[in-house]
mmCIF file of all heavy atoms in Angstrom:
data_model
loop_
_atom_site.group_PDB
_atom_site.id
_atom_site.type_symbol
_atom_site.label_atom_id
_atom_site.label_comp_id
_atom_site.label_asym_id
_atom_site.label_seq_id
_atom_site.Cartn_x
_atom_site.Cartn_y
_atom_site.Cartn_z
ATOM 1 N N MET A 2 42.537 152.395 -9.529
ATOM 2 C CA MET A 2 42.618 151.106 -8.906
ATOM 3 C C MET A 2 41.442 151.017 -7.898
ATOM 4 O O MET A 2 41.332 151.838 -7.042
ATOM 5 C CB MET A 2 43.929 150.942 -8.244
ATOM 6 C CG MET A 2 44.040 149.639 -7.545
ATOM 7 S SD MET A 2 45.638 149.366 -6.680
ATOM 8 C CE MET A 2 46.583 148.622 -7.975
ATOM 9 N N ASN A 3 40.589 150.040 -8.067
ATOM 10 C CA ASN A 3 39.480 149.896 -7.155
ATOM 11 C C ASN A 3 39.824 148.970 -5.990
ATOM 12 O O ASN A 3 40.952 148.475 -5.950
ATOM 13 C CB ASN A 3 38.193 149.467 -7.873
ATOM 14 C CG ASN A 3 38.347 148.093 -8.531
ATOM 15 O OD1 ASN A 3 39.275 147.294 -8.173
ATOM 16 N ND2 ASN A 3 37.522 147.782 -9.547
ATOM 17 N N GLY A 4 38.891 148.714 -5.111
ATOM 18 C CA GLY A 4 39.215 147.885 -3.957
ATOM 19 C C GLY A 4 39.609 146.469 -4.269
ATOM 20 O O GLY A 4 40.469 145.918 -3.665
ATOM 21 N N ARG A 5 38.946 145.898 -5.275
ATOM 22 C CA ARG A 5 39.188 144.496 -5.623
ATOM 23 C C ARG A 5 40.677 144.327 -6.213
ATOM 24 O O ARG A 5 41.370 143.434 -5.848
ATOM 25 C CB ARG A 5 38.221 143.990 -6.639
ATOM 26 C CG ARG A 5 38.398 142.579 -7.005
ATOM 27 C CD ARG A 5 37.231 142.054 -7.888
ATOM 28 N NE ARG A 5 37.334 140.649 -8.089
ATOM 29 C CZ ARG A 5 38.064 140.046 -9.082
ATOM 30 N NH1 ARG A 5 38.838 140.788 -9.853
ATOM 31 N NH2 ARG A 5 38.113 138.743 -9.130
ATOM 32 N N THR A 6 41.043 145.228 -7.089
ATOM 33 C CA THR A 6 42.370 145.149 -7.656
ATOM 34 C C THR A 6 43.438 145.440 -6.635
ATOM 35 O O THR A 6 44.543 144.841 -6.678
ATOM 36 C CB THR A 6 42.558 146.041 -8.876
ATOM 37 O OG1 THR A 6 42.231 147.406 -8.487
ATOM 38 C CG2 THR A 6 41.630 145.646 -10.036
ATOM 39 N N ALA A 7 43.161 146.343 -5.661
ATOM 40 C CA ALA A 7 44.110 146.593 -4.642
ATOM 41 C C ALA A 7 44.293 145.341 -3.738
ATOM 42 O O ALA A 7 45.433 145.019 -3.373
ATOM 43 C CB ALA A 7 43.700 147.794 -3.838
ATOM 44 N N LEU A 8 43.199 144.691 -3.479
ATOM 45 C CA LEU A 8 43.262 143.484 -2.649
ATOM 46 C C LEU A 8 44.038 142.364 -3.361
ATOM 47 O O LEU A 8 44.810 141.665 -2.745
ATOM 48 C CB LEU A 8 41.873 142.993 -2.300
ATOM 49 C CG LEU A 8 41.722 141.800 -1.396
ATOM 50 C CD1 LEU A 8 42.302 142.099 -0.060
ATOM 51 C CD2 LEU A 8 40.286 141.311 -1.304
ATOM 52 N N LEU A 9 43.794 142.181 -4.683
ATOM 53 C CA LEU A 9 44.503 141.225 -5.442
ATOM 54 C C LEU A 9 46.019 141.531 -5.539
ATOM 55 O O LEU A 9 46.881 140.642 -5.447
ATOM 56 C CB LEU A 9 43.925 141.088 -6.843
ATOM 57 C CG LEU A 9 42.570 140.454 -6.928
ATOM 58 C CD1 LEU A 9 42.033 140.494 -8.327
ATOM 59 C CD2 LEU A 9 42.620 139.052 -6.460
ATOM 60 N N ALA A 10 46.339 142.798 -5.693
ATOM 61 C CA ALA A 10 47.744 143.237 -5.770
ATOM 62 C C ALA A 10 48.438 142.944 -4.393
ATOM 63 O O ALA A 10 49.568 142.429 -4.317
ATOM 64 C CB ALA A 10 47.842 144.681 -6.135
ATOM 65 N N THR A 11 47.753 143.223 -3.331
ATOM 66 C CA THR A 11 48.294 142.974 -1.995
ATOM 67 C C THR A 11 48.513 141.467 -1.737
ATOM 68 O O THR A 11 49.483 141.057 -1.219
ATOM 69 C CB THR A 11 47.358 143.576 -0.902
ATOM 70 O OG1 THR A 11 47.234 145.003 -1.171
ATOM 71 C CG2 THR A 11 47.928 143.346 0.492
ATOM 72 N N ALA A 12 47.478 140.682 -2.170
ATOM 73 C CA ALA A 12 47.598 139.273 -1.998
ATOM 74 C C ALA A 12 48.773 138.706 -2.852
ATOM 75 O O ALA A 12 49.537 137.818 -2.326
ATOM 76 C CB ALA A 12 46.338 138.594 -2.399
ATOM 77 N N GLU A 13 48.942 139.199 -4.047
ATOM 78 C CA GLU A 13 50.036 138.762 -4.885
ATOM 79 C C GLU A 13 51.379 139.083 -4.248
ATOM 80 O O GLU A 13 52.314 138.284 -4.164
ATOM 81 C CB GLU A 13 49.959 139.370 -6.261
ATOM 82 C CG GLU A 13 51.059 138.905 -7.155
ATOM 83 C CD GLU A 13 51.020 139.592 -8.548
ATOM 84 O OE1 GLU A 13 50.097 140.363 -8.824
ATOM 85 O OE2 GLU A 13 51.900 139.225 -9.359
ATOM 86 N N LEU A 14 51.491 140.332 -3.755
ATOM 87 C CA LEU A 14 52.775 140.736 -3.108
ATOM 88 C C LEU A 14 53.064 139.893 -1.843
ATOM 89 O O LEU A 14 54.211 139.514 -1.610
ATOM 90 C CB LEU A 14 52.693 142.240 -2.721
ATOM 91 C CG LEU A 14 52.899 143.172 -3.925
ATOM 92 C CD1 LEU A 14 52.629 144.593 -3.436
ATOM 93 C CD2 LEU A 14 54.272 143.023 -4.533
ATOM 94 N N LEU A 15 52.045 139.615 -1.052
ATOM 95 C CA LEU A 15 52.233 138.809 0.135
ATOM 96 C C LEU A 15 52.654 137.366 -0.182
ATOM 97 O O LEU A 15 53.483 136.792 0.492
ATOM 98 C CB LEU A 15 50.980 138.787 0.957
ATOM 99 C CG LEU A 15 50.737 140.052 1.818
ATOM 100 C CD1 LEU A 15 49.345 140.002 2.497
ATOM 101 C CD2 LEU A 15 51.800 140.252 2.830
ATOM 102 N N CYS A 16 52.053 136.803 -1.283
ATOM 103 C CA CYS A 16 52.458 135.480 -1.660
ATOM 104 C C CYS A 16 53.899 135.417 -2.110
ATOM 105 O O CYS A 16 54.642 134.489 -1.777
ATOM 106 C CB CYS A 16 51.508 134.952 -2.776
ATOM 107 S SG CYS A 16 49.874 134.530 -2.163
ATOM 108 N N TRP A 17 54.262 136.383 -2.979
ATOM 109 C CA TRP A 17 55.670 136.452 -3.402
ATOM 110 C C TRP A 17 56.561 136.666 -2.212
ATOM 111 O O TRP A 17 57.656 136.042 -2.121
ATOM 112 C CB TRP A 17 55.877 137.601 -4.388
ATOM 113 C CG TRP A 17 55.551 137.219 -5.810
ATOM 114 C CD1 TRP A 17 54.538 137.711 -6.552
ATOM 115 C CD2 TRP A 17 56.317 136.288 -6.614
ATOM 116 N NE1 TRP A 17 54.621 137.172 -7.822
ATOM 117 C CE2 TRP A 17 55.692 136.295 -7.885
ATOM 118 C CE3 TRP A 17 57.407 135.524 -6.425
ATOM 119 C CZ2 TRP A 17 56.103 135.491 -8.946
ATOM 120 C CZ3 TRP A 17 57.888 134.711 -7.475
ATOM 121 C CH2 TRP A 17 57.206 134.730 -8.747
ATOM 122 N N TRP A 18 56.183 137.537 -1.282
ATOM 123 C CA TRP A 18 57.046 137.828 -0.148
ATOM 124 C C TRP A 18 57.275 136.559 0.698
ATOM 125 O O TRP A 18 58.378 136.204 1.119
ATOM 126 C CB TRP A 18 56.489 138.912 0.738
ATOM 127 C CG TRP A 18 57.333 139.231 1.875
ATOM 128 C CD1 TRP A 18 58.404 140.066 1.922
ATOM 129 C CD2 TRP A 18 57.204 138.714 3.200
ATOM 130 N NE1 TRP A 18 59.004 140.065 3.193
ATOM 131 C CE2 TRP A 18 58.250 139.245 3.995
ATOM 132 C CE3 TRP A 18 56.323 137.835 3.803
ATOM 133 C CZ2 TRP A 18 58.402 138.867 5.337
ATOM 134 C CZ3 TRP A 18 56.466 137.457 5.120
ATOM 135 C CH2 TRP A 18 57.534 138.044 5.874
ATOM 136 N N ALA A 19 56.180 135.862 0.958
ATOM 137 C CA ALA A 19 56.231 134.668 1.785
ATOM 138 C C ALA A 19 57.123 133.581 1.102
ATOM 139 O O ALA A 19 57.979 132.958 1.743
ATOM 140 C CB ALA A 19 54.824 134.100 2.042
ATOM 141 N N ALA A 20 56.929 133.370 -0.167
ATOM 142 C CA ALA A 20 57.791 132.346 -0.901
ATOM 143 C C ALA A 20 59.244 132.763 -0.874
ATOM 144 O O ALA A 20 60.132 131.894 -0.613
ATOM 145 C CB ALA A 20 57.319 132.244 -2.347
ATOM 146 N N LEU A 21 59.557 134.042 -1.082
ATOM 147 C CA LEU A 21 60.951 134.425 -1.112
ATOM 148 C C LEU A 21 61.537 134.435 0.300
ATOM 149 O O LEU A 21 62.707 134.139 0.428
ATOM 150 C CB LEU A 21 61.076 135.835 -1.746
ATOM 151 C CG LEU A 21 60.746 135.846 -3.272
ATOM 152 C CD1 LEU A 21 60.715 137.274 -3.746
ATOM 153 C CD2 LEU A 21 61.745 135.008 -4.031
ATOM 154 N N ALA A 22 60.754 134.732 1.282
ATOM 155 C CA ALA A 22 61.282 134.727 2.683
ATOM 156 C C ALA A 22 61.580 133.322 3.119
ATOM 157 O O ALA A 22 62.632 133.083 3.774
ATOM 158 C CB ALA A 22 60.244 135.412 3.633
ATOM 159 N N VAL A 23 60.729 132.365 2.790
ATOM 160 C CA VAL A 23 60.977 130.970 3.077
ATOM 161 C C VAL A 23 62.216 130.465 2.359
ATOM 162 O O VAL A 23 63.095 129.802 2.916
ATOM 163 C CB VAL A 23 59.794 130.104 2.742
ATOM 164 C CG1 VAL A 23 60.107 128.651 2.759
ATOM 165 C CG2 VAL A 23 58.616 130.364 3.700
ATOM 166 N N LEU A 24 62.388 130.913 1.108
ATOM 167 C CA LEU A 24 63.593 130.519 0.356
ATOM 168 C C LEU A 24 64.832 131.044 1.011
ATOM 169 O O LEU A 24 65.834 130.417 1.116
ATOM 170 C CB LEU A 24 63.468 131.000 -1.066
ATOM 171 C CG LEU A 24 64.486 130.532 -2.071
ATOM 172 C CD1 LEU A 24 64.395 129.023 -2.239
ATOM 173 C CD2 LEU A 24 64.275 131.199 -3.386
ATOM 174 N N TRP A 25 64.764 132.296 1.493
ATOM 175 C CA TRP A 25 65.911 132.872 2.196
ATOM 176 C C TRP A 25 66.239 132.132 3.451
ATOM 177 O O TRP A 25 67.439 131.807 3.727
ATOM 178 C CB TRP A 25 65.526 134.367 2.545
ATOM 179 C CG TRP A 25 66.671 135.053 3.291
ATOM 180 C CD1 TRP A 25 66.910 135.048 4.598
ATOM 181 C CD2 TRP A 25 67.611 135.949 2.720
ATOM 182 N NE1 TRP A 25 67.964 135.818 4.926
ATOM 183 C CE2 TRP A 25 68.447 136.441 3.793
ATOM 184 C CE3 TRP A 25 67.859 136.404 1.475
ATOM 185 C CZ2 TRP A 25 69.497 137.320 3.564
ATOM 186 C CZ3 TRP A 25 68.904 137.312 1.262
ATOM 187 C CH2 TRP A 25 69.736 137.723 2.315
ATOM 188 N N LEU A 26 65.238 131.758 4.217
ATOM 189 C CA LEU A 26 65.465 130.989 5.441
ATOM 190 C C LEU A 26 66.054 129.597 5.169
ATOM 191 O O LEU A 26 66.880 129.061 5.957
ATOM 192 C CB LEU A 26 64.153 130.848 6.243
ATOM 193 C CG LEU A 26 63.714 132.167 6.919
ATOM 194 C CD1 LEU A 26 62.320 131.920 7.530
ATOM 195 C CD2 LEU A 26 64.697 132.632 7.976
ATOM 196 N N VAL A 27 65.703 129.014 4.052
ATOM 197 C CA VAL A 27 66.247 127.697 3.689
ATOM 198 C C VAL A 27 67.727 127.794 3.381
ATOM 199 O O VAL A 27 68.529 126.922 3.789
ATOM 200 C CB VAL A 27 65.489 127.108 2.469
ATOM 201 C CG1 VAL A 27 66.196 125.928 1.874
ATOM 202 C CG2 VAL A 27 64.079 126.735 2.896
ATOM 203 N N PHE A 28 68.153 128.912 2.770
ATOM 204 C CA PHE A 28 69.554 129.052 2.339
ATOM 205 C C PHE A 28 70.523 129.598 3.385
ATOM 206 O O PHE A 28 71.720 129.427 3.209
ATOM 207 C CB PHE A 28 69.626 129.872 1.052
ATOM 208 C CG PHE A 28 69.145 129.097 -0.174
ATOM 209 C CD1 PHE A 28 68.258 129.703 -1.007
ATOM 210 C CD2 PHE A 28 69.599 127.844 -0.481
ATOM 211 C CE1 PHE A 28 67.810 129.070 -2.150
ATOM 212 C CE2 PHE A 28 69.154 127.134 -1.573
ATOM 213 C CZ PHE A 28 68.242 127.743 -2.416
ATOM 214 N N ILE A 29 70.054 130.185 4.429
ATOM 215 C CA ILE A 29 70.957 130.718 5.396
ATOM 216 C C ILE A 29 71.323 129.636 6.405
ATOM 217 O O ILE A 29 70.547 128.702 6.638
ATOM 218 C CB ILE A 29 70.412 132.001 6.125
ATOM 219 C CG1 ILE A 29 69.223 131.689 6.932
ATOM 220 C CG2 ILE A 29 70.192 133.103 5.131
ATOM 221 C CD1 ILE A 29 68.667 132.841 7.773
ATOM 222 N N SER A 30 72.492 129.840 7.034
ATOM 223 C CA SER A 30 72.949 128.774 7.956
ATOM 224 C C SER A 30 72.482 128.995 9.378
ATOM 225 O O SER A 30 72.168 128.130 10.141
ATOM 226 C CB SER A 30 74.451 128.567 7.860
ATOM 227 O OG SER A 30 75.055 129.829 8.203
ATOM 228 N N THR A 31 72.555 130.300 9.806
ATOM 229 C CA THR A 31 72.143 130.628 11.177
ATOM 230 C C THR A 31 71.014 131.633 11.081
ATOM 231 O O THR A 31 70.986 132.569 10.293
ATOM 232 C CB THR A 31 73.288 131.234 11.929
ATOM 233 O OG1 THR A 31 73.773 132.398 11.280
ATOM 234 C CG2 THR A 31 74.460 130.322 12.107
ATOM 235 N N VAL A 32 70.019 131.424 11.989
ATOM 236 C CA VAL A 32 68.881 132.315 11.986
ATOM 237 C C VAL A 32 69.014 133.200 13.197
ATOM 238 O O VAL A 32 68.880 132.756 14.373
ATOM 239 C CB VAL A 32 67.562 131.504 12.064
ATOM 240 C CG1 VAL A 32 66.371 132.452 12.127
ATOM 241 C CG2 VAL A 32 67.458 130.576 10.877
ATOM 242 N N ASP A 33 69.339 134.463 12.985
ATOM 243 C CA ASP A 33 69.418 135.446 14.065
ATOM 244 C C ASP A 33 68.569 136.657 13.610
ATOM 245 O O ASP A 33 68.038 136.719 12.470
ATOM 246 C CB ASP A 33 70.793 135.805 14.462
ATOM 247 C CG ASP A 33 71.614 136.424 13.361
ATOM 248 O OD1 ASP A 33 71.129 136.474 12.242
ATOM 249 O OD2 ASP A 33 72.754 136.835 13.630
ATOM 250 N N THR A 34 68.473 137.641 14.484
ATOM 251 C CA THR A 34 67.561 138.797 14.186
ATOM 252 C C THR A 34 67.995 139.499 12.923
ATOM 253 O O THR A 34 67.160 139.939 12.095
ATOM 254 C CB THR A 34 67.522 139.769 15.369
ATOM 255 O OG1 THR A 34 67.160 138.976 16.555
ATOM 256 C CG2 THR A 34 66.530 140.846 15.167
ATOM 257 N N LEU A 35 69.305 139.760 12.804
ATOM 258 C CA LEU A 35 69.784 140.530 11.629
ATOM 259 C C LEU A 35 69.478 139.747 10.340
ATOM 260 O O LEU A 35 69.070 140.395 9.336
ATOM 261 C CB LEU A 35 71.319 140.798 11.759
ATOM 262 C CG LEU A 35 71.917 141.601 10.590
ATOM 263 C CD1 LEU A 35 71.244 142.995 10.537
ATOM 264 C CD2 LEU A 35 73.374 141.751 10.808
ATOM 265 N N GLU A 36 69.685 138.487 10.348
ATOM 266 C CA GLU A 36 69.346 137.725 9.119
ATOM 267 C C GLU A 36 67.905 137.759 8.783
ATOM 268 O O GLU A 36 67.504 137.788 7.586
ATOM 269 C CB GLU A 36 69.809 136.244 9.299
ATOM 270 C CG GLU A 36 71.275 136.070 9.205
ATOM 271 C CD GLU A 36 71.822 136.177 7.766
ATOM 272 O OE1 GLU A 36 70.993 135.983 6.835
ATOM 273 O OE2 GLU A 36 72.970 136.529 7.591
ATOM 274 N N LEU A 37 67.049 137.738 9.797
ATOM 275 C CA LEU A 37 65.577 137.806 9.542
ATOM 276 C C LEU A 37 65.205 139.168 8.963
ATOM 277 O O LEU A 37 64.377 139.200 8.003
ATOM 278 C CB LEU A 37 64.806 137.532 10.852
ATOM 279 C CG LEU A 37 64.842 136.120 11.366
ATOM 280 C CD1 LEU A 37 64.135 136.031 12.709
ATOM 281 C CD2 LEU A 37 64.249 135.188 10.365
ATOM 282 N N VAL A 38 65.814 140.222 9.472
ATOM 283 C CA VAL A 38 65.512 141.572 8.968
ATOM 284 C C VAL A 38 66.000 141.719 7.577
ATOM 285 O O VAL A 38 65.214 142.222 6.656
ATOM 286 C CB VAL A 38 66.153 142.618 9.903
ATOM 287 C CG1 VAL A 38 66.035 144.015 9.277
ATOM 288 C CG2 VAL A 38 65.474 142.628 11.246
ATOM 289 N N VAL A 39 67.177 141.307 7.256
ATOM 290 C CA VAL A 39 67.756 141.384 5.903
ATOM 291 C C VAL A 39 66.969 140.486 4.940
ATOM 292 O O VAL A 39 66.659 140.903 3.829
ATOM 293 C CB VAL A 39 69.270 141.041 5.878
ATOM 294 C CG1 VAL A 39 69.765 140.880 4.474
ATOM 295 C CG2 VAL A 39 70.038 142.053 6.705
ATOM 296 N N GLY A 40 66.565 139.327 5.395
ATOM 297 C CA GLY A 40 65.811 138.438 4.566
ATOM 298 C C GLY A 40 64.435 138.994 4.226
ATOM 299 O O GLY A 40 63.892 138.877 3.108
ATOM 300 N N ALA A 41 63.821 139.641 5.266
ATOM 301 C CA ALA A 41 62.442 140.214 4.991
ATOM 302 C C ALA A 41 62.547 141.355 4.003
ATOM 303 O O ALA A 41 61.694 141.513 3.146
ATOM 304 C CB ALA A 41 61.878 140.723 6.351
ATOM 305 N N ALA A 42 63.596 142.177 4.163
ATOM 306 C CA ALA A 42 63.804 143.345 3.249
ATOM 307 C C ALA A 42 64.071 142.828 1.841
ATOM 308 O O ALA A 42 63.519 143.329 0.832
ATOM 309 C CB ALA A 42 64.882 144.229 3.719
ATOM 310 N N ALA A 43 64.909 141.832 1.737
ATOM 311 C CA ALA A 43 65.254 141.274 0.361
ATOM 312 C C ALA A 43 64.067 140.618 -0.263
ATOM 313 O O ALA A 43 63.783 140.798 -1.476
ATOM 314 C CB ALA A 43 66.372 140.257 0.487
ATOM 315 N N ALA A 44 63.244 139.969 0.539
ATOM 316 C CA ALA A 44 62.013 139.313 0.026
ATOM 317 C C ALA A 44 61.030 140.384 -0.405
ATOM 318 O O ALA A 44 60.318 140.211 -1.397
ATOM 319 C CB ALA A 44 61.407 138.403 1.054
ATOM 320 N N CYS A 45 60.967 141.508 0.267
ATOM 321 C CA CYS A 45 60.052 142.585 -0.066
ATOM 322 C C CYS A 45 60.469 143.176 -1.444
ATOM 323 O O CYS A 45 59.627 143.379 -2.351
ATOM 324 C CB CYS A 45 60.095 143.667 1.008
ATOM 325 S SG CYS A 45 58.910 145.002 0.701
ATOM 326 N N LEU A 46 61.711 143.456 -1.631
ATOM 327 C CA LEU A 46 62.220 143.969 -2.925
ATOM 328 C C LEU A 46 61.992 142.944 -4.007
ATOM 329 O O LEU A 46 61.666 143.309 -5.100
ATOM 330 C CB LEU A 46 63.704 144.315 -2.784
ATOM 331 C CG LEU A 46 64.054 145.490 -1.878
ATOM 332 C CD1 LEU A 46 65.579 145.644 -1.743
ATOM 333 C CD2 LEU A 46 63.407 146.748 -2.443
ATOM 334 N N GLY A 47 62.254 141.707 -3.710
ATOM 335 C CA GLY A 47 62.025 140.623 -4.712
ATOM 336 C C GLY A 47 60.565 140.516 -5.097
ATOM 337 O O GLY A 47 60.234 140.311 -6.249
ATOM 338 N N ALA A 48 59.667 140.635 -4.094
ATOM 339 C CA ALA A 48 58.229 140.560 -4.388
ATOM 340 C C ALA A 48 57.780 141.745 -5.322
ATOM 341 O O ALA A 48 56.991 141.571 -6.219
ATOM 342 C CB ALA A 48 57.470 140.606 -3.109
ATOM 343 N N LEU A 49 58.315 142.930 -5.010
ATOM 344 C CA LEU A 49 57.973 144.098 -5.836
ATOM 345 C C LEU A 49 58.461 143.908 -7.245
ATOM 346 O O LEU A 49 57.794 144.208 -8.249
ATOM 347 C CB LEU A 49 58.522 145.373 -5.217
ATOM 348 C CG LEU A 49 57.813 145.857 -3.944
ATOM 349 C CD1 LEU A 49 58.616 146.996 -3.333
ATOM 350 C CD2 LEU A 49 56.433 146.265 -4.196
ATOM 351 N N ALA A 50 59.686 143.380 -7.394
ATOM 352 C CA ALA A 50 60.276 143.155 -8.703
ATOM 353 C C ALA A 50 59.538 142.108 -9.461
ATOM 354 O O ALA A 50 59.283 142.190 -10.706
ATOM 355 C CB ALA A 50 61.741 142.776 -8.632
ATOM 356 N N ALA A 51 59.084 140.992 -8.762
ATOM 357 C CA ALA A 51 58.342 139.949 -9.436
ATOM 358 C C ALA A 51 57.004 140.397 -9.891
ATOM 359 O O ALA A 51 56.551 140.117 -11.044
ATOM 360 C CB ALA A 51 58.176 138.796 -8.424
ATOM 361 N N ARG A 52 56.379 141.240 -9.144
ATOM 362 C CA ARG A 52 55.094 141.806 -9.538
ATOM 363 C C ARG A 52 55.226 142.740 -10.739
ATOM 364 O O ARG A 52 54.492 142.689 -11.680
ATOM 365 C CB ARG A 52 54.377 142.515 -8.379
ATOM 366 C CG ARG A 52 53.066 143.185 -8.859
ATOM 367 C CD ARG A 52 52.165 143.484 -7.719
ATOM 368 N NE ARG A 52 51.161 144.439 -8.062
ATOM 369 C CZ ARG A 52 50.146 144.203 -8.830
ATOM 370 N NH1 ARG A 52 49.905 143.022 -9.356
ATOM 371 N NH2 ARG A 52 49.249 145.178 -9.137
ATOM 372 N N ALA A 53 56.237 143.554 -10.716
ATOM 373 C CA ALA A 53 56.498 144.446 -11.806
ATOM 374 C C ALA A 53 56.845 143.715 -13.088
ATOM 375 O O ALA A 53 56.381 144.033 -14.169
ATOM 376 C CB ALA A 53 57.635 145.458 -11.458
ATOM 377 N N ALA A 54 57.673 142.638 -12.948
ATOM 378 C CA ALA A 54 57.966 141.857 -14.119
ATOM 379 C C ALA A 54 56.748 141.143 -14.704
ATOM 380 O O ALA A 54 56.579 141.065 -15.925
ATOM 381 C CB ALA A 54 59.024 140.813 -13.741
ATOM 382 N N ARG A 55 55.901 140.584 -13.812
ATOM 383 C CA ARG A 55 54.684 139.961 -14.327
ATOM 384 C C ARG A 55 53.796 140.900 -14.987
ATOM 385 O O ARG A 55 53.195 140.628 -16.041
ATOM 386 C CB ARG A 55 53.958 139.283 -13.189
ATOM 387 C CG ARG A 55 52.794 138.398 -13.634
ATOM 388 C CD ARG A 55 51.819 138.018 -12.621
ATOM 389 N NE ARG A 55 51.203 139.205 -11.951
ATOM 390 C CZ ARG A 55 50.188 139.936 -12.469
ATOM 391 N NH1 ARG A 55 49.694 139.609 -13.634
ATOM 392 N NH2 ARG A 55 49.737 140.929 -11.766
ATOM 393 N N ARG A 56 53.650 142.117 -14.451
ATOM 394 C CA ARG A 56 52.771 143.133 -15.095
ATOM 395 C C ARG A 56 53.397 143.553 -16.438
ATOM 396 O O ARG A 56 52.664 143.893 -17.378
ATOM 397 C CB ARG A 56 52.626 144.343 -14.159
ATOM 398 C CG ARG A 56 51.717 143.991 -13.003
ATOM 399 C CD ARG A 56 51.323 145.241 -12.227
ATOM 400 N NE ARG A 56 50.897 146.273 -13.148
ATOM 401 C CZ ARG A 56 50.093 147.223 -12.906
ATOM 402 N NH1 ARG A 56 49.672 147.349 -11.662
ATOM 403 N NH2 ARG A 56 49.687 148.067 -13.793
ATOM 404 N N ALA A 57 54.714 143.656 -16.502
ATOM 405 C CA ALA A 57 55.304 144.020 -17.772
ATOM 406 C C ALA A 57 55.131 143.003 -18.863
ATOM 407 O O ALA A 57 54.862 143.344 -20.027
ATOM 408 C CB ALA A 57 56.821 144.286 -17.551
ATOM 409 N N VAL A 58 55.067 141.709 -18.464
ATOM 410 C CA VAL A 58 54.908 140.704 -19.455
ATOM 411 C C VAL A 58 53.465 140.536 -19.880
ATOM 412 O O VAL A 58 53.199 140.390 -21.071
ATOM 413 C CB VAL A 58 55.435 139.311 -18.888
ATOM 414 C CG1 VAL A 58 54.991 138.163 -19.733
ATOM 415 C CG2 VAL A 58 56.910 139.305 -18.744
ATOM 416 N N THR A 59 52.577 140.649 -18.951
ATOM 417 C CA THR A 59 51.133 140.498 -19.300
ATOM 418 C C THR A 59 50.539 141.794 -19.845
ATOM 419 O O THR A 59 49.464 141.751 -20.503
ATOM 420 C CB THR A 59 50.303 140.074 -18.043
ATOM 421 O OG1 THR A 59 50.424 141.069 -17.012
ATOM 422 C CG2 THR A 59 50.745 138.738 -17.587
ATOM 423 N N GLY A 60 51.192 142.953 -19.635
ATOM 424 C CA GLY A 60 50.647 144.224 -20.173
ATOM 425 C C GLY A 60 49.505 144.775 -19.364
ATOM 426 O O GLY A 60 48.767 145.608 -19.875
ATOM 427 N N ARG A 61 49.389 144.408 -18.171
ATOM 428 C CA ARG A 61 48.318 145.004 -17.304
ATOM 429 C C ARG A 61 48.898 145.978 -16.344
ATOM 430 O O ARG A 61 49.821 145.930 -15.754
ATOM 431 C CB ARG A 61 47.583 143.936 -16.481
ATOM 432 C CG ARG A 61 46.819 143.004 -17.370
ATOM 433 C CD ARG A 61 45.887 142.300 -16.450
ATOM 434 N NE ARG A 61 45.779 140.906 -16.789
ATOM 435 C CZ ARG A 61 45.161 140.001 -16.111
ATOM 436 N NH1 ARG A 61 44.563 140.317 -15.008
ATOM 437 N NH2 ARG A 61 45.074 138.767 -16.503
#
């Protein structure tokens, strides 16, 4: 993996994470510290799964 592909992978993960974190915040009723931590962790796992699924489908 060279620098360009690492940058693209990081950007893809950050975009997925941001979208999933916003979705989490939309669906919760109260925003407190614990909900933010759990949402950030869930969004991180979801971003990793989304990237892995996209790579599995495209074959890259």
Side-chain angles (χ1 to χ4, degrees):
M2 179 180 272
N3 62 21
R5 183 175 187 274
T6 56
L8 183 64
L9 289 174
T11 303
E13 180 182 0
L14 284 172
L15 283 175
C16 288
W17 274 113
W18 181 84
L21 292 171
V23 166
L24 190 63
W25 180 278
L26 289 173
V27 166
F28 285 131
I29 62 172
S30 59
T31 59
V32 180
D33 61 355
T34 306
L35 181 60
E36 284 289 335
L37 289 175
V38 171
V39 171
C45 183
L46 291 174
L49 289 171
R52 175 159 163 74
R55 188 196 58 79
R56 286 190 51 156
V58 169
T59 60
R61 292 195 222 174

